Amino acid sequence: MSIKTVLISQPEPTSENSPYSKLVRKYKIKIDYKPFIHVEGLSAKEVRAQKVDFSKFQNIILTSRNAVDHFFRITEEMRFKVPDQTKYFCQSEAVAYYLQKYVVYRKRKIYVGNNNFKDLEPIFIKFNKEKFLVPTSGSLNPDIIKKLDSFEISWGRAQLFNTVVSDLSDLRDVYYDILVFFSPLGIESLFENFPDFKQNKTLIAVYGNTTEEAAKAKNLRIDIKAPTEVSPSMAMAIEKYIKG
């Protein structure tokens, strides 16, 4: 089928040179952006109820930019000064780079994984006499839990924010050739907003195995997948489909 309209279930990229912008220019298609989920921070009162003592942790494990934002938000609200000697273990370069919004990079001990923590195993083990804190949403990827447990370190979680379904009522009478999803919660949001959703000729694009599983659980037909060896990014997967 001819592709003319695409809805990306995420915020619009800030860069004009994003891969999606290149698709618009190259194939003359229309791409809209609408976050299907959003983040809401917990209050200091809600965090205190978890009985988390930030002063007991020498190391912070950061899995996302949301984790970075809400860790520093809540410590400020609770008037806890994060010690300069705190060490940060970042899941990816993107998270480590974002950390510079809050700390002077060259004056802090920051360790960066290649989109996972396996690369950092020797460093985790080096500090296994210390405590590690993971700021999270209501859930934490089971693979991360398994990996941290395998390091045999003392680690704990603090739920600092929630990822919740967004109101999509403004899309009720709008139709797209491709709907693009990046998380199981995005799929959940679609059906919570539109319980009677019928796929029909709409193409469904999914990023990641857990998103694919969530889509299949809702009996959706998967037309476009990423990452793959041929299409490591969603933009590349969409382009491959357009080109046939």
Side-chain angles (χ1 to χ4, degrees):
M1 64 179 284
S2 175
I3 303 302
K4 296 180 180 178
T5 58
V6 179
L7 179 63
I8 307 289
S9 60
Q10 285 187 330
E12 184 171 358
T14 53
S15 170
E16 294 181 359
N17 294 317
S18 79
Y20 299 117
S21 299
K22 293 176 183 176
L23 288 180
V24 170
R25 293 192 293 269
K26 187 174 181 179
Y27 296 100
K28 311 301 180 187
I29 60 176
K30 181 176 185 288
I31 296 183
D32 289 337
Y33 301 88
K34 175 75 173 182
F36 276 35
I37 56 178
H38 64 278
V39 168
E40 293 179 352
L42 269 63
S43 67
K45 181 180 179 180
E46 290 171 313
V47 174
R48 286 193 185 96
Q50 299 174 47
K51 302 190 184 308
V52 177
D53 184 350
F54 290 105
S55 68
K56 300 295 184 183
F57 297 91
Q58 298 82 21
N59 308 285
I60 308 299
I61 300 174
L62 299 166
T63 59
S64 68
R65 290 185 294 180
N66 283 327
V68 175
D69 279 335
H70 289 281
F71 173 71
F72 287 97
R73 172 190 65 82
I74 206 69
T75 51
E76 182 177 353
E77 286 183 18
M78 295 175 70
R79 294 187 173 86
F80 173 75
K81 185 180 186 307
V82 181
D84 291 347
Q85 60 269 31
T86 297
K87 296 180 288 295
Y88 300 94
F89 291 73
C90 301
Q91 187 171 8
S92 66
E93 285 188 4
V95 174
Y97 182 78
Y98 190 73
L99 185 58
Q100 295 181 79
K101 180 178 176 181
Y102 297 96
V103 302
V104 180
Y105 208 82
R106 58 186 174 80
K107 293 185 178 181
R108 299 292 185 273
K109 291 183 178 179
I110 299 171
Y111 304 99
V112 186
N114 184 23
N115 289 319
N116 63 67
F117 291 116
K118 177 66 177 174
D119 311 319
L120 301 177
E121 183 173 0
I123 304 171
F124 275 105
I125 294 173
K126 178 182 177 181
F127 298 110
N128 65 358
K129 302 299 183 190
E130 301 178 352
K131 289 190 174 183
F132 295 77
L133 179 70
V134 189
T136 73
S137 64
S139 62
L140 181 60
N141 187 320
D143 291 337
I144 294 177
I145 295 174
K146 187 183 300 183
K147 184 59 62 181
L148 295 178
D149 284 343
S150 74
F151 296 157
E152 296 186 356
I153 57 174
S154 175
W155 70 278
R157 288 171 56 184
Q159 184 186 350
L160 306 184
F161 57 98
N162 275 319
T163 305
V164 298
V165 167
S166 299
D167 178 7
L168 307 178
S169 56
D170 56 328
L171 296 178
R172 180 164 297 280
D173 297 315
V174 183
Y175 299 91
Y176 291 88
D177 296 323
I178 304 177
L179 297 179
V180 185
F181 297 92
F182 295 87
S183 73
L185 266 177
I187 302 291
E188 181 182 322
S189 176
L190 172 68
F191 283 92
E192 187 163 321
N193 278 277
F194 310 112
D196 55 349
F197 176 78
K198 298 289 187 294
Q199 182 173 0
N200 299 323
K201 293 182 178 180
T202 301
L203 303 178
I204 299 294
V206 296
Y207 189 92
N209 293 332
T210 56
T211 308
E212 180 182 359
E213 289 168 8
K216 287 180 176 177
K218 292 293 187 179
N219 297 315
L220 294 177
R221 182 187 67 252
I222 310 298
D223 302 286
I224 301 170
K225 287 173 54 176
T228 66
E229 287 186 11
V230 178
S231 306
S233 73
M234 179 54 75
M236 292 174 71
I238 292 173
E239 181 171 24
K240 182 175 182 295
Y241 187 93
I242 292 174
K243 289 166 69 174

